[in-house]
Amino acid sequence: PQLYEKIKHFAKFPQTGVSLRQMVMFGQKPSPATFFKASQFLHEELPIRLAHRVKELDELPRSLGDMPSIIKVKNWYAQSFQELIELPPPEITSELKASFRDAAKNSQSLPQSTPNLAIPQSKPTGKYYPTIGHRYYNNFENIKCTPPILSYTDSFVKAIENVKRRHDPVVTTMAQGIMEYKQHRKTSMIDADVQQFLDRFYMSRIGIRMLIGQHSALYRGPFMRNYVGVICTRTNIKDIAQDAIANARFICEDHYGLFRAPEVKMFCPGDIEFMYVPSHLNHMVFELLKNSLRAVVERFGPDYEDEYPPIKLVIAHGKEDITIKISDEGGGLPRSGIPVVWTYMYTTAQAQELEPEFNKSEFKAPMAGFGYGLPISRLYARYFGGDLKLISMEGYGTDAYLHLNRLSNSDEPLIM
Ligand code: W6P
């Protein structure tokens, strides 16, 4: 009622995107001012983003919007919105002002929101900040933090972490909602619309969780070299690919009861380092490898062990993009089947369990988890200005191209 009026009001404001580079610039040298300004930004940006989601969930055609699980998700968004707007707004106390003055006197002002600039490499001076004793920050600098700021920051971080935790089950619950919709639908919303809605919805979720995760990581650590929050400024693709290969092969062996999963041969020209979120990269490469491994094992059967054609993982390094190509000889997909790979409507493990008539050979179950892996991976790629494409040769195999934008100053896609 009253809450929904507020939500409508907030949903009128445009969402503000933040690029990877901006996040790095902002969090590079965290000080009390950093946390204060970040809190200020998030305190207004998060409710705006949540409000957009509630509004959109509310305006879905009834056939979808009335599904119990969709309503559940909407209520989580509304509750989180309410919690955030009820938090006291960050205010400049006299102590905070003093702390800003100190910071301004002692260091150059924080570079912020300045895309296209090289990241300053200057070493932190450290000595300007008295020791606080128990808290270390990125770049191993002790920071002065007066108690009122600390407590504001602390309660703010706790509040947004709580929001993030509440929304952990959103993907599964939405999937459940889609199932409910499929069982109930009479007047159908066409699949393309559901698809677009979910792409927007999950993309927005990635962004919200990135902002919260980044703030929380900047505040809590662990503080590691070359990391700014959850962003690694020197993400080593080869290391991450190697890790994903080991994990995907292990999962494959486990799932099919193999001694040796198909081999994955990596071709990588030296060590390529770039700015990225390692967990996102790992997630995408792992997902693609699982699909390739599955295709190969299912094409040749479990008794073909040691003779499977290897999967090729090629890493290319250009000015604009770093591209990872993963090629399998798993028999490929018919060209008409490619769009289906990106849909949310037909790919859940639950979908197959709930619908016995579902044709398993037409759509293969994922090796683990449920099958939102590919569409969500593509959103992760697009989130920082990359993309994910599949090219298939039916009867032979599939090439997946994962493009990652090296310039890292593309803004968050907030509307697709
Ligand atoms: C396939 C189907 C697929 C999807 C994504 C990545 C690789 C592959 N291989 O056969």
Side-chain angles (χ1 to χ4, degrees), residues 287-288 291-292 294-295 326 328 330-333 341 364 374 390 392 397-398 400:
E287 185 58 39
L288 291 173
N291 278 281
S292 288
R294 181 178 68 210
I326 300 176
D328 67 60
L333 300 161
V341 166
K364 298 158 188 166
L374 288 173
L390 288 186
S392 200
T398 303

Side-chain angles (χ1 to χ4, degrees), residues 5-16:
E5 288 308 308
K6 281 189 186 147
I7 287 172
K8 267 198 215 142
H9 176 70
F10 273 74
K12 284 183 197 144
F13 294 93
Q15 308 173 87
T16 304

Side-chain angles (χ1 to χ4, degrees), residues 83-368:
E83 283 177 13
L84 290 177
I85 60 165
E86 280 173 359
L87 282 179
E91 273 184 65
I92 304 236
T93 61
S94 50
E95 277 138 310
L96 196 48
K97 273 191 192 147
S99 144
F100 281 151
R101 271 200 302 277
D102 286 353
K105 221 170 19 191
N106 292 329
S107 63
Q108 298 187 335
S109 59
L110 293 159
Q112 279 178 48
S113 311
T114 319
N116 297 321
L117 279 181
I119 297 157
Q121 294 297 320
S122 60
K123 289 273 180 293
T125 45
K127 66 183 174 189
Y128 295 123
Y129 293 106
T131 307
I132 181 168
H134 70 287
R135 194 176 287 288
Y136 269 84
Y137 287 86
N138 257 358
N139 59 32
F140 315 101
E141 177 182 20
N142 293 320
I143 286 185
K144 177 187 172 187
C145 221
T146 55
I149 305 164
L150 197 59
S151 75
Y152 175 77
T153 309
D154 210 73
S155 58
F156 185 79
V157 171
K158 280 194 184 118
I160 61 175
E161 284 171 346
N162 189 41
V163 167
K164 186 162 181 269
R165 204 173 321 112
R166 171 176 305 121
H167 292 249
D168 284 345
V170 158
V171 178
T172 24
T173 311
M174 285 299 286
Q176 190 59 46
I178 299 299
M179 296 308 310
E180 292 160 2
Y181 164 70
K182 283 181 70 186
Q183 282 163 354
H184 282 92
R185 92 174 132 176
K186 296 183 184 77
T187 56
S188 75
M189 189 177 169
I190 56 166
D191 293 359
D193 291 341
V194 176
Q195 182 66 22
Q196 281 186 6
F197 160 72
L198 288 172
D199 272 335
R200 256 195 324 276
F201 183 81
Y202 290 131
M203 181 66 99
S204 154
R205 182 172 184 269
I206 290 171
I208 291 170
R209 295 176 78 80
M210 177 72 200
L211 293 183
I212 296 177
Q214 181 65 4
H215 187 72
S216 160
L218 275 181
Y219 183 63
R220 298 201 185 281
F223 304 101
M224 293 173 290
R225 191 184 298 283
N226 301 327
Y227 272 78
V228 178
V230 298
I231 300 162
C232 179
T233 53
R234 298 179 62 180
T235 306
N236 187 313
I237 286 223
K238 203 162 144 188
D239 292 350
I240 292 196
Q242 232 137 29
D243 204 49
I245 290 169
N247 288 329
R249 291 186 73 226
F250 178 83
I251 293 281
C252 176
E253 285 158 7
D254 187 59
H255 183 84
Y256 293 103
L258 302 172
F259 286 108
R260 276 179 64 74
E263 242 186 282
V264 180
K265 290 198 165 135
M266 178 157 66
F267 300 84
C268 181
D271 278 299
I272 300 171
E273 292 179 338
F274 75 129
M275 201 196 287
Y276 212 73
V277 181
S279 63
H280 290 188
L281 188 54
N282 183 75
H283 177 96
M284 294 183 287
V285 178
F286 175 67
E287 185 58 39
L288 291 173
L289 285 169
K290 272 196 317 187
N291 278 281
S292 288
L293 287 165
R294 181 178 68 210
V296 171
V297 173
E298 295 198 352
R299 182 184 187 195
F300 294 93
D303 299 328
Y304 209 73
E305 231 169 323
D306 297 330
E307 292 178 81
Y308 293 123
I311 290 161
K312 271 201 327 186
L313 189 156
V314 181
I315 303 174
H317 186 210
K319 269 204 191 71
E320 188 177 312
D321 275 356
I322 289 169
T323 305
I324 305 175
K325 180 177 75 171
I326 300 176
S327 308
D328 67 60
E329 293 178 29
L333 300 161
R335 208 145 41 95
S336 63
I338 298 278
V340 181
V341 166
W342 305 113
T343 61
Y344 301 98
M345 293 284 286
Y346 299 104
T347 51
T348 67
Q350 286 139 300
Q352 301 186 17
E353 280 155 28
L354 291 172
E355 293 190 25
E357 77 277 15
F358 198 88
N359 186 345
K360 275 205 174 139
S361 64
E362 226 169 70
F363 215 98
K364 298 158 188 166
M367 266 192 277

